[in-house]
Amino acid sequence: MRKIALSILMISISFIAFAQQEDVKMIKSIFDKELTEGQSYEMLDYLTSKIGARLSGSPQAAAAVEWSKQVMESYGFDRVYLQEVMVPHWVRGEREKARVLNSSKHGTVELNVRALGNSVGTGAIGVMAEVIEVNAISELEKLGKKAIENKIVFFNRPMDQTQITTFSAYGGAVDQRVFGASEAAKYGAKAVVVRSVGTVTDDYPHTGTLIYDENQPKIPAVAISVKDADALTEILADTQPTKLYIETHCEMLPDVLSYNVIGELTGSEKPDEIIVVSGHLDSWDLGTGAHDDGAGCVQAIEGLRIFKELGYKPKRTIRAVMYMNEENGLRGGKKYAEVAKEKGENHIAALESDSGGFSPRGFRMTGDDADLKKVRSWQPLFEPYGIYDFDKPGGGADIGPLEDQGTLLIGLMPDSQRYFAYHHTDNDTFDKVNKRELELGAAGMAALVYMIDKYGL
Ligand SMILES: [Zn+2]
């Protein structure tokens, strides 16, 4: 009896060892393939350098839809299709202007600003008003209407440089950009200027979305470069009152029809279990959306391409999804989840890369404890590639809407030290992406999808 139990144990141990060996080998071949014959970098070059910035509703966004569809077709995925989604159509218009007017000590000073996404414009007439500086939305209430009415509110809280994960620092500063305009409008402000949410002191304003409260007047909002935010603080310390002139020509046009782009390898054993690997196709109009999020899109496509190259036939259905409109509306992500629900699709896991094309360090997850535990148990297989952080929570903006369908949400977590130097600026361009780092991320994602496909959740 004991002998039999022992031999069963031996067989199962050797089976596990064999399975592990097979996984080690497969993961190595994914990385080897990507690092020697990868096409993600080439794809990203085309998307950013030939097509360019891809703001929702723009001709470039439409071109990117067509391009990603054609690319996936050319790789011979089983199904490639578009999913209709209506998206906001915000346009920036003529270059923004901002200047300090006749400060007694500093004279006239030009400031680098860019309108925040979704903002109304000032029009040619501009806005001219006295500036009041605050460091948090909560300060507005203390100041009250008397101090704020008819002024331009300058939100100047910097990112906390002591945070090691820059995404945490971003989270701690971004409220003034998203909600500052409507919060200031409650007290009668005429416009807002928001310190760029970035880690570097330079001349590049960081745009980004703002959300208006429909019950408040919509007032113009601009981001100011970190360097000029510091300069403005200095001017305000020297000269009171200080007047500012701001001119922006942005406007929100009617919604337009756009698309999520989906490529699929159909599962051979469990086609109804879907694994998503994804990024968002739209970008801001400054720069060319190389890290945010061209990188994520090409990494997603690349995963499926590598499987085909290696002759790997997934058991489950694997979808590369390129969402439209993450930046100023999230319509694509919402639409994808809505359609999935309507069709009763079963998404077991959704992986998004939307934190830059830098060296991957881990996968951050949100979901069921048992799923998390299972994925974590694979961590040793990823360590040789510098991927070790399998913590929670995590995910991505576009896959978030799948959460209530019981999908395990996973976000690729790259090294975060450089992301907020480029994020939403003129500087988010192809030359800032390192080929090997981009490829390591693509291979890491493909390797994780392989494990989920093989063992299920
Ligand atoms: Zn993004």
Side-chain angles (χ1 to χ4, degrees):
M1 203 54 201
R2 247 169 134 189
K3 239 183 177 172
I4 295 170
L6 195 64
S7 50
I8 288 172
L9 184 69
M10 295 299 282
I11 289 166
S12 57
I13 287 173
S14 57
F15 179 74
I16 292 167
F18 173 75
Q20 272 175 355
Q21 269 315 309
E22 196 183 67
D23 295 339
V24 167
K25 246 174 94 182
M26 178 63 180
I27 290 172
K28 179 158 169 47
S29 43
I30 290 171
F31 275 90
D32 288 356
K33 195 82 184 165
E34 179 60 14
L35 291 167
T36 56
E37 295 166 35
Q39 294 192 11
S40 52
Y41 192 66
E42 220 178 296
M43 280 193 265
L44 187 62
D45 189 12
Y46 192 95
L47 180 62
T48 55
S49 313
K50 297 282 195 301
I51 296 175
R54 305 170 297 282
L55 190 57
S56 290
S58 67
Q60 292 88 344
V65 166
E66 198 47 45
W67 170 80
S68 44
K69 180 171 172 277
Q70 282 175 15
V71 165
M72 291 196 284
E73 281 168 352
S74 77
Y75 291 146
F77 297 169
D78 298 330
R79 271 177 84 201
V80 178
Y81 58 102
L82 305 181
Q83 183 175 68
E84 289 190 356
V85 57
M86 295 301 291
V87 296
H89 187 195
W90 179 81
V91 291
R92 183 174 299 280
E94 247 173 75
R95 176 79 201 214
E96 301 84 344
K97 290 176 195 150
R99 68 178 67 98
V100 171
L101 294 171
N102 304 318
S103 150
S104 53
K105 193 165 167 195
H106 301 267
T108 297
V109 183
E110 299 291 336
L111 303 170
N112 283 303
V113 302
R114 304 310 302 252
L116 291 182
N118 298 344
S119 176
V120 296
T122 65
I125 194 168
V127 167
M128 192 170 64
E130 203 183 301
V131 189
I132 180 166
E133 179 178 340
V134 299
N135 273 302
I137 287 172
S138 58
E139 284 180 30
L140 298 172
E141 199 183 342
K142 286 176 213 149
L143 286 164
K145 194 166 181 178
K146 219 172 144 196
I148 297 168
E149 195 166 32
N150 293 322
K151 290 191 182 145
I152 294 172
V153 171
F154 169 37
F155 287 99
N156 194 33
R157 186 168 80 263
M159 280 176 82
D160 177 1
Q161 299 281 11
T162 66
Q163 301 259 6
I164 303 307
T165 303
T166 61
F167 286 93
S168 307
Y170 179 72
V174 79
D175 63 328
Q176 51 193 356
R177 189 200 78 205
V178 180
F179 306 112
S182 286
E183 290 297 327
K186 279 184 192 167
Y187 302 94
K190 284 177 112 172
V192 299
V193 174
V194 183
R195 182 188 182 93
S196 284
V197 192
T199 47
V200 180
T201 302
D202 64 15
D203 290 322
Y204 296 94
H206 296 234
T207 192
T209 203
L210 74 73
I211 298 173
Y212 282 126
D213 175 345
E214 290 302 322
N215 299 315
Q216 300 300 334
K218 293 179 179 173
I219 61 170
V222 296
I224 184 170
S225 74
V226 169
K227 211 167 164 182
D228 285 352
D230 288 344
L232 184 56
T233 302
E234 219 181 291
I235 294 169
L236 284 165
D238 287 343
T239 323
Q240 284 290 351
T242 290
K243 272 192 170 175
L244 209 61
Y245 173 76
I246 300 173
E247 187 183 317
T248 62
H249 297 267
C250 44
E251 60 180 320
M252 186 64 89
L253 303 173
D255 286 1
V256 297
L257 177 63
S258 188
Y259 304 90
N260 291 328
V261 188
I262 303 168
E264 185 178 295
L265 299 182
T266 311
S268 59
E269 289 174 27
K270 297 185 173 181
D272 294 341
E273 289 192 13
I274 300 163
I275 303 165
V276 158
V277 53
S278 58
H280 65 84
L281 201 51
D282 66 303
S283 76
W284 283 108
D285 55 331
L286 310 180
T288 55
H291 280 291
D292 189 11
D293 184 27
C297 292
V298 300
Q299 286 171 327
I301 298 174
E302 189 68 350
L304 275 66
R305 191 191 71 81
I306 292 175
F307 287 153
K308 280 203 70 103
E309 283 287 309
L310 293 174
Y312 177 73
K313 295 208 182 343
K315 293 187 206 176
R316 297 169 166 84
T317 293
I318 299 172
R319 277 189 197 158
V321 182
M322 268 123 278
Y323 308 97
M324 184 52 70
N325 187 230
E326 188 272 343
E327 296 293 1
N328 63 329
L330 205 67
R331 300 270 186 91
K334 288 178 181 162
K335 184 74 178 186
Y336 184 84
E338 194 185 297
V339 172
K341 202 172 200 170
E342 269 169 29
K343 291 188 172 171
E345 289 178 343
N346 177 17
H347 285 75
I348 64 166
L351 168 55
E352 179 162 23
S353 164
D354 185 20
S355 303
F358 304 101
S359 293
R361 297 289 184 234
F363 295 102
R364 290 291 181 100
M365 298 171 280
T366 299
D368 187 86
D369 279 346
D371 290 346
L372 255 66
K373 203 176 154 200
K374 191 166 192 180
V375 176
R376 273 196 188 137
S377 73
W378 302 330
Q379 190 243 32
L381 291 165
F382 289 81
E383 272 192 358
Y385 306 96
I387 301 173
Y388 51 83
D389 178 1
F390 282 61
D391 210 343
K392 64 177 181 183
D398 300 284
I399 57 177
L402 285 168
E403 191 179 0
D404 67 2
Q405 298 177 35
T407 307
L408 176 66
L409 308 181
I410 312 167
L412 176 74
M413 185 44 70
D415 182 280
S416 73
Q417 303 315 317
R418 285 163 288 164
Y419 191 56
F420 291 100
Y422 311 135
H423 187 243
H424 299 179
T425 71
D426 289 338
N427 262 333
D428 184 5
T429 48
F430 181 66
D431 56 301
K432 309 303 186 306
V433 179
N434 176 282
K435 183 172 183 283
R436 285 182 62 84
E437 295 189 18
L438 180 75
E439 289 171 346
L440 288 170
M445 287 164 71
L448 186 64
V449 169
Y450 156 76
M451 291 298 289
I452 298 170
D453 178 55
K454 186 170 171 190
Y455 296 103
L457 287 173

